[in-house]
Amino acid sequence: MRTHTPALCSEVPGDADAALRQLYSHHAKALHGYVERFCPDSASADDIVQETFIRAWRHLPQLSADDRPLRPWLYRVARNLLIDADRAARSRPIGVQPQPADDARDDSGLDQVLDRQLVSAALRQLSPAHRSVLVETFYHGGTPATVARRLGIPHGTARSRLHYALHALRQELEDHDAIAC
């Protein structure tokens, strides 16, 4: 497959358009196939390819003066655009769609009160050591290292107790669900 497109542009402005059309006809299909592998949908791939050719059009005089193949340059520009799009997507916070209110019942927070009572009862079933690690971690916002310092226990012990406490709490809550059904 030929990746070099000779004599892209001359000094005549109309020739720049013809050169870009020629560049597009030689490389667009392959570039689009490359970009599609990294895009979530076809529209995103189309946008990246379009922006790549816009940048090629902007740099047409430099590209035509250079006798190196153009396809690697196009792929590098597309790759950079893909990276930029990925970074931009990751930097935006994910919006949460508001959930419609359940109009069927108006419990005025009854579910929250019942959930708190259920968790409180499950916590009382845990050993004091496990309960203290859970409370320090989740209610006081501590990391296992800070919890270990607060409770005067080794860091590994705090992590272990947290693991087993969560397991025991989960089991208590599952047992309650089994009885409720």
Side-chain angles (χ1 to χ4, degrees):
M1 177 181 287
R2 187 174 168 196
T3 60
H4 180 67
T5 309
L8 276 181
C9 143
S10 68
E11 301 296 277
V12 181
D15 286 348
D17 292 340
L20 187 61
R21 279 193 293 278
Q22 180 185 11
L23 182 67
Y24 188 85
S25 69
H26 282 90
H27 302 289
K29 187 174 182 178
L31 184 64
H32 199 277
Y34 169 75
V35 170
E36 275 185 327
R37 292 184 292 182
F38 304 103
C39 286
D41 55 28
S42 181
S44 298
D46 292 342
D47 290 344
I48 296 291
V49 170
Q50 180 181 8
E51 182 61 30
T52 301
F53 281 104
I54 288 172
R55 291 185 185 194
W57 177 71
R58 288 181 186 152
H59 293 92
L60 210 50
Q62 295 93 338
L63 293 173
S64 63
D66 192 356
D67 48 61
R68 290 183 289 183
L70 292 175
R71 190 167 285 181
W73 185 89
L74 292 169
Y75 276 59
R76 186 175 64 244
V77 170
R79 180 180 175 273
N80 291 343
L81 291 168
L82 286 164
I83 290 169
D84 291 345
D86 182 57
R87 286 179 182 157
R90 285 187 288 153
S91 71
R92 285 186 220 117
I94 298 172
V96 177
Q97 298 297 326
Q99 296 294 326
D102 189 8
D103 296 332
R105 16 174 241 185
D106 184 19
D107 60 11
S108 303
L110 180 62
D111 283 340
Q112 289 181 352
V113 171
L114 293 174
D115 287 344
R116 285 183 191 146
Q117 288 179 342
L118 179 64
V119 170
S120 179
L123 280 171
R124 283 193 297 273
Q125 299 300 317
L126 300 178
S127 71
H130 287 159
R131 184 173 44 245
S132 64
V133 169
L134 274 177
V135 168
E136 286 294 324
T137 302
F138 293 103
Y139 289 106
H140 299 135
T143 64
T146 58
V147 170
R149 281 193 300 274
R150 284 183 199 154
L151 298 177
I153 58 176
H155 179 257
T157 302
R159 290 179 58 199
S160 174
R161 285 183 186 172
L162 180 60
H163 170 79
Y164 288 110
L166 285 171
H167 179 73
L169 183 64
R170 190 175 302 118
Q171 189 63 46
E172 282 292 325
L173 293 173
E174 287 175 358
D175 290 346
H176 179 271
D177 283 347
I179 293 171
C181 291

